[in-house]
Amino acid sequence: MYLGRILSVGTNENGFFVAYRVSSRSFPNRVAKSFDTRASIIPKEGHEKDIFENPYITYNCIKIVGDVAIVSNGSHTDVIADKIAVGMNIKDAIALSLITMDYEKDDFNTPRIAGTITSDGEAYIGIVTHESVIVEKVPKGESCYIATYEHIKPAKIEFKAENAMEAAEFIMGGGKFEEFDNPVTSAAAFYENKWELKAI
């Protein structure tokens, strides 16, 4: 099954996390890169011209602001992060940013998806489509995922990872995520005393 972009957010027995995966049929020549406080999706070397065919294919997919990790499938990562940085609570930051930026105006009306979690496990997950907006709290101690196609409502998942690298690997092809087609690249942030970012 093809779900397009996928993100997961929540808590497991080892800590708190956000994870993101690009699955793509149209623009598979992309890679995730991790930095100190962000992870970005960019074209592979030699495919930089792809950004002129579709402006939505390169963006920060994860950003850390203080004790909060933000994950999304587009430039709204930065918008959510900016709202949190000036003091807005994480639920309102997701809701306002999704409503303001709306779904992507591409050939598929691609939804925008997003998640946030604090270092004490308070988490929200959301989506804006051409028909609706959803922002839901992730129950403490649980993990959820959402995707741009098919699975467009938050769904509970058992997420197995002990660190950021394992989280990136798990969303790429572990557990239930193995069922989903066309994986391209992934990134994750994991909190255990501090946020750690990795990309594969």
Side-chain angles (χ1 to χ4, degrees):
M1 181 185 292
Y2 179 68
L3 302 189
R5 271 58 67 203
I6 309 167
L7 67 80
S8 186
V9 58
T11 305
N12 66 18
E13 61 186 5
N14 300 299
F16 312 120
F17 72 90
V18 296
Y20 182 72
R21 168 177 144 179
V22 174
S23 307
S24 182
R25 295 181 291 210
S26 303
F27 293 94
N29 296 303
R30 287 183 280 170
V31 64
K33 296 284 187 181
S34 62
F35 305 91
D36 286 345
T37 60
R38 64 184 171 89
S40 306
I41 304 298
I42 59 173
K44 287 182 177 177
E45 187 174 351
H47 296 272
E48 292 86 356
K49 63 179 178 53
D50 287 353
I51 63 172
F52 299 108
E53 296 181 39
N54 187 322
Y56 299 111
I57 65 169
T58 183
Y59 47 87
N60 290 324
C61 62
I62 296 174
K63 205 162 188 181
I64 307 299
V65 177
D67 72 334
V68 180
I70 302 107
V71 59
S72 93
N73 69 319
S75 56
H76 51 298
T77 304
D78 298 309
V79 178
I80 296 167
D82 288 347
K83 297 302 180 188
I84 292 170
V86 297
M88 185 175 286
N89 68 72
I90 62 175
K91 181 185 74 173
D92 290 352
I94 288 184
L96 179 62
S97 300
L98 290 178
I99 290 169
T100 301
M101 297 197 71
D102 208 6
Y103 63 92
E104 296 178 358
K105 307 307 187 291
D106 58 11
D107 293 338
F108 308 103
N109 289 339
T110 301
R112 291 183 186 267
I113 55 177
T116 58
I117 189 167
T118 68
S119 61
D120 65 359
E122 182 186 6
Y124 287 86
I125 190 169
I127 183 170
V128 59
T129 73
H130 67 291
E131 296 177 327
S132 67
V133 180
I134 299 170
V135 178
E136 291 185 2
K137 188 168 187 172
V138 179
K140 279 275 184 94
E142 296 184 6
S143 304
C144 291
Y145 78 97
I146 198 166
T148 54
Y149 309 125
E150 303 291 343
H151 295 192
I152 57 172
K153 292 184 178 179
K156 186 177 176 180
I157 193 165
E158 184 179 357
F159 199 101
K160 296 182 178 179
E162 295 184 6
N163 52 52
M165 181 58 74
E166 288 185 6
E169 291 170 348
F170 190 79
I171 200 169
M172 194 69 169
K176 188 173 182 65
F177 297 111
E178 186 179 10
E179 301 172 13
F180 308 139
D181 299 336
N182 299 86
V184 172
T185 190
S186 67
F190 201 92
Y191 188 88
E192 189 180 12
N193 300 319
K194 66 176 184 177
W195 284 109
E196 174 195 28
L197 276 143
K198 294 290 182 183
I200 59 172

